[in-house]
Amino acid sequence: MLPFIAGLAAGAVAVVAINNRKEIKEKVIEGASKVQEKAGDVKNCVVEKVEKLKTKELKFVDKEIEDVK
């Protein structure tokens, strides 16, 4: 009896998904574009922080070199 109920539920979900496929597609596309935008923001933030760290490191190395001279 349980497999019959599970099959019935899966079939109902499939029918609902097919009937709403345009809405589902729009939501997926909207979500993907938001994720892509956030990924770009994170990438830019990481690049900025890496550049700041590189600048700090170069200043530190330059100071160490001057101290040795």
Side-chain angles (χ1 to χ4, degrees), residues 3-19:
F4 174 74
I5 294 171
L8 187 62
V13 168
V15 169
V16 169
I18 288 173
N19 289 338

Side-chain angles (χ1 to χ4, degrees), residues 57-69:
E57 185 177 327
L58 287 174
K59 287 179 182 177
F60 179 75
V61 169
D62 289 343
K63 183 180 177 188
E64 290 293 318
I65 291 172
E66 289 176 6
D67 289 345
V68 171
K69 288 181 181 180

Side-chain angles (χ1 to χ4, degrees), residues 29-54:
I29 290 171
E30 181 181 319
S33 66
K34 285 182 182 179
V35 167
Q36 189 175 16
E37 181 181 321
K38 293 294 181 185
D41 292 345
V42 169
K43 179 185 174 195
N44 292 337
C45 182
V46 169
V47 167
E48 288 176 15
K49 290 189 186 248
V50 167
E51 290 301 320
K52 284 181 183 178
L53 287 172
K54 285 181 180 178

